[in-house]
């Protein structure tokens, strides 16, 4: 039976305020709180809440037949907690149905996977902790920011213990292969890869309301029939998109939610099911390894990372930011760590892009990519100065690496001691149980001895 794996991303950019060169060293707060609150409330009202209410209605109608997955960035969760807690309440209601899976991703929705392996691992673990705190279960499937993936990233994700990973079904990687199979990482075969169907995903998220598109209007029965008519051996169709596509990119007036409601009805009629990513990974075998030497993503025609790192401005900002990654990672300053998360967000680099794109980029306060670069570098200059005050530049990389190694070794030693303590506690509990069992056995025998002695007298 063919199955649809439906996934939605929820991430909210932290809008930076206008920050001038003369603010460096005097103003350490970088954010436009008004715009952050206005933006997330607008998206929550016109997209998140109507879409999530629709999904709840669909699950009530179809039960466990209809399933989906969500991935929330850590900074997105923070914004929802602060300004739109009703969205998290709806997600928790969906979680209680048992029809929803929550995935792992970098906390910041940043590009650490391309720069610093230890920062990437720390981010993913923090986001997993947050997901477990909110929804009661730790993720077993991973998706990177904007589905960025290559072989090395797959190896890192596998080392973190994940069973599967979502990424793009990029044509320049697949060649003649189909995205409708499960593959695995070429250097970590246990990590299964689910590849996004570009056409079927973008038909909903990008083209649904485009009256000039030859496929307009798109009806659910036609959409599902395309899946039904695929070759019999192609068993999984991965439809991945941002949740804001439902209501923002495709306005509610386009009847996008009515289309979504009709999907399970048409799927049942066509013998097509719905599955979560972990279910696909558990049930389906890999068709083979996928070689991805260079990073790919789901953005723009090239499906690479040029939207974030395609020009000298972006690369300079990226290199400067991650040059202090190790220093930030060993910092215990909460404000430094929070600013680090917000400055890593990939949107900051996307605003600096100079490449043409068929997807409109809303640069907010920025008049141009150069304006975005200047504002970001002013903020980054102040941030780096603050980090330098914690770990001065006269502490060279060798000394810093030695400090990091010491911290890492101490962490491993503590973990080993914790394991030893747990083992000894279990041994003590076992001995206590045996002692209590022996004592109870002897107590039962004592009365019988007394009775025997009495009769002898």
């Amino acid at each position: 039976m063919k199955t649809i794996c439906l996934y939605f991303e929820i991430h909210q950019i932290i809008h930076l305020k206008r920050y001038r060169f003369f603010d460096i060293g005097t103003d350490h707060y970088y954010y436009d709180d008004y715009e952050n609150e206005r933006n997330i409330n607008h998206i929550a009202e016109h997209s998140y809440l109507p879409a999530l209410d629709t999904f709840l209605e669909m699950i009530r109608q179809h039960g466990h037949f209809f399933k989906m997955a969500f991935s929330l960035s850590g900074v997105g969760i923070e914004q929802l907690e602060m300004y739109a807690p009703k969205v998290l309440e709806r997600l928790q209601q969906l979680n209680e149905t048992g029809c929803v899976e929550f995935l792992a991703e970098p906390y910041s929705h940043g590009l650490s996977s391309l720069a610093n392996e230890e920062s990437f691992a720390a981010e993913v673990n923090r986001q997993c902790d947050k997901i477990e705190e909110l929804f009661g279960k730790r993720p077993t499937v991973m998706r990177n920011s904007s589905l960025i993936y290559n072989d090395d990233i797959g190896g890192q994700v596998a080392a973190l213990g994940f069973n599967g990973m979502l990424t793009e079904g990029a044509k320049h990687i697949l060649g003649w292969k189909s995205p409708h199979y499960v593959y695995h990482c070429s250097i970590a075969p246990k990590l299964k890869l689910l590849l996004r169907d570009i056409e079927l995903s973008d038909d909903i998220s990008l083209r649904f309301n485009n009256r000039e598109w030859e496929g307009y209007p798109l009806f659910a029965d036609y959409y599902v029939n395309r899946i039904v008519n695929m070759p019999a051996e192609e068993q999984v169709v991965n439809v991945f998109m941002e949740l804001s596509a439902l209501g923002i990119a495709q306005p509610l007036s386009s009847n996008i939610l009515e289309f979504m409601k009709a999907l399970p009805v048409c799927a049942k009629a066509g013998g097509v099911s719905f599955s979560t990513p972990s279910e696909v990974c558990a049930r389906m075998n890999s068709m083979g390894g996928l070689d991805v030497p260079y990073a790919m993503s789901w953005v723009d025609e090239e499906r690479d990372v040029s939207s974030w790192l395609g020009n000298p401005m972006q690369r300079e900002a990226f290199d400067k930011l991650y040059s202090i990654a190790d220093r930030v990672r060993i910092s215990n300053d909460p404000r430094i760590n929070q600013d680090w998360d917000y400055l890593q967000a990939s949107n900051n680099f996307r605003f600096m892009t100079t490449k043409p794109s068929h997807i409109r980029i809303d640069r907010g306060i920025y008049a141009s990519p150069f304006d975005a670069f200047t504002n970001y570098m002013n903020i980054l200059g102040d941030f780096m100065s603050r980090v330098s005050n914690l770990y001065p530049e006269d502490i060279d990389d060798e000394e810093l690496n030695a400090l990091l190694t010491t911290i890492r070794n101490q962490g491993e030693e503590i973990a080993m001691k914790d394991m030893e303590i747990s083992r000894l506690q279990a041994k003590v509990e076992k001995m206590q149980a045996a002692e209590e069992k022996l004592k109870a056995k002897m107590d039962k025998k004592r009365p019988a001895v007394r009775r025997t002695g009495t009769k002898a007298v």
Side-chain angles (χ1 to χ4, degrees):
M1 175 184 284
K2 296 184 189 300
T3 193
I4 298 172
C5 183
L6 196 58
Y7 151 79
F8 296 97
E9 172 197 333
I10 299 177
H11 166 64
Q12 281 302 123
I13 181 175
I14 306 297
H15 292 272
L16 302 178
K17 69 180 182 182
R18 179 64 66 183
Y19 193 93
R20 305 189 185 282
F21 176 80
F22 298 104
D23 294 324
I24 298 174
T26 62
D27 182 2
H28 303 318
Y29 192 77
Y30 311 134
Y31 315 108
D32 186 340
D33 291 334
Y34 172 81
E35 183 59 22
N36 285 326
E37 183 175 4
R38 185 206 64 79
N39 186 63
I40 195 167
N41 282 328
H42 174 77
I43 295 175
E45 180 182 352
H46 293 90
S47 172
Y48 291 169
L49 290 173
L52 297 176
D53 285 341
T54 297
F55 293 150
L56 279 167
E57 180 184 339
M58 293 164 69
I59 291 173
R60 292 188 187 108
Q61 180 180 353
H62 301 285
H64 281 73
F65 174 78
F66 180 68
K67 300 175 182 178
M68 73 196 79
F70 293 95
S71 180
L72 292 81
S73 69
V75 297
I77 293 173
E78 289 181 13
Q79 292 291 289
L80 293 173
E81 288 176 329
M82 192 178 306
Y83 299 122
K86 288 184 179 179
V87 174
L88 290 176
E89 290 174 10
R90 296 293 197 285
L91 287 167
Q92 287 170 335
Q93 290 172 17
L94 282 165
N95 180 56
E96 290 168 2
T97 66
C99 299
V100 172
E101 179 178 5
F102 291 91
L103 309 184
E105 69 166 80
Y107 193 94
S108 71
H109 197 270
L111 306 174
S112 58
S113 61
L114 301 172
N116 190 294
E117 184 174 341
E118 292 186 343
S119 292
F120 175 65
E123 278 203 74
V124 172
N125 285 326
R126 278 200 299 132
Q127 191 265 358
C128 288
D129 291 342
K130 191 68 175 178
I131 292 296
E132 187 173 18
E133 175 190 327
L134 285 172
F135 305 110
K137 188 176 181 181
R138 199 167 185 84
T140 59
V141 177
M142 166 84 188
R143 57 88 58 185
N144 200 5
S145 309
S146 299
L147 299 188
I148 292 173
Y149 175 84
N150 61 23
D151 294 333
D152 289 337
I153 294 172
Q156 294 176 45
V157 170
L160 290 173
F162 292 98
N163 301 325
M165 186 170 183
L166 276 54
T167 188
E168 180 75 334
K171 293 179 182 178
H172 70 279
I173 295 296
L174 283 173
W176 57 269
K177 297 177 182 177
S178 167
H180 304 141
Y181 297 96
V182 174
Y183 297 91
H184 65 256
C185 174
S186 62
I187 64 173
K190 291 185 178 180
L191 182 74
K192 292 184 176 179
L193 301 177
L194 307 186
L195 308 184
R196 175 177 178 260
D197 185 303
I198 297 173
E199 184 176 356
L200 288 173
S201 299
D202 288 352
D203 281 354
I204 298 175
S205 62
L206 297 182
R207 294 183 281 268
F208 186 83
N209 195 43
N210 183 2
R211 294 175 181 271
E212 297 179 359
W213 172 44
E214 62 182 11
Y216 181 88
L218 181 63
F219 294 105
D221 55 351
Y222 172 75
Y223 187 87
V224 170
N225 283 339
R226 287 161 61 188
I227 297 173
V228 171
N229 292 327
M230 289 175 181
E233 61 274 13
E234 297 187 5
Q235 292 292 301
V236 60
V237 177
N238 300 306
V239 179
F240 303 160
M241 69 192 78
E242 296 177 356
L243 183 59
S244 60
L246 310 182
I248 301 298
Q250 310 305 320
L252 298 179
S253 60
S254 68
N255 291 322
I256 184 70
L257 295 183
E258 298 305 315
F259 171 86
M260 296 302 297
K261 287 180 186 178
L263 277 182
V265 177
C266 297
K268 276 184 181 179
V272 178
S273 67
F274 287 85
S275 299
T276 63
S278 61
E279 288 176 338
V280 173
C281 290
R283 289 201 304 255
M284 296 188 181
N285 296 323
S286 169
M287 292 296 292
L290 197 67
D291 293 313
V292 189
Y294 305 106
M296 64 176 176
S297 76
W298 70 356
V299 176
D300 287 340
E301 292 295 329
E302 295 84 0
R303 311 290 172 182
D304 57 16
V305 295
S306 59
S307 292
W308 305 280
L309 301 175
N311 65 44
M313 293 186 300
Q314 292 170 308
R315 290 193 294 274
E316 181 179 351
F318 177 82
D319 291 342
K320 286 280 188 184
L321 177 68
Y322 284 103
S323 69
I324 57 172
D326 291 336
R327 283 172 159 77
V328 171
R329 197 171 65 254
I330 62 175
S331 170
N332 290 321
D333 188 311
R335 182 70 182 277
I336 289 286
N337 292 335
Q338 184 180 60
D339 289 342
W340 172 250
D341 288 335
Y342 295 169
L343 292 177
Q344 280 192 92
S346 62
N347 313 68
N348 293 312
F349 300 95
R350 185 89 192 278
F351 292 152
M352 305 175 199
T353 186
T354 52
K355 63 180 286 191
S357 174
H358 68 284
I359 302 175
R360 178 178 173 272
I361 301 174
D362 181 3
R363 288 190 169 90
I365 64 172
Y366 305 126
S368 68
F370 311 100
D371 187 24
F373 171 72
T374 301
N375 201 70
Y376 184 82
M377 293 304 286
N378 285 341
I379 292 173
L380 185 56
D382 183 79
F383 179 72
M384 292 179 71
S385 176
R386 291 164 56 205
V387 173
S388 179
N389 289 335
L390 290 174
Y391 298 99
E393 292 182 1
D394 57 8
I395 300 178
D396 59 27
D397 290 342
E398 186 174 339
E399 290 179 275
L400 187 62
N401 286 333
L403 178 59
L404 288 171
T405 300
T406 300
I407 293 172
R408 192 181 304 114
N409 290 342
Q410 287 177 342
E412 292 174 357
E413 186 177 346
I414 290 171
M416 290 179 64
K417 287 182 177 179
D418 286 343
M419 290 176 62
E420 180 65 14
I421 290 170
S422 298
R423 187 185 68 81
L424 291 173
Q425 284 178 336
K427 187 175 181 180
V428 169
E429 289 172 1
K430 188 176 180 181
M431 291 173 65
Q432 287 176 339
E435 183 181 353
E436 289 175 0
K437 187 176 180 181
L438 179 61
K439 184 179 179 182
K441 188 176 181 181
M442 293 181 67
D443 287 343
K444 287 181 180 179
K445 289 182 176 180
R446 285 195 186 101
V449 171
R450 291 193 190 99
R451 285 193 297 270
T452 303
T454 303
K455 289 179 181 177
V457 175

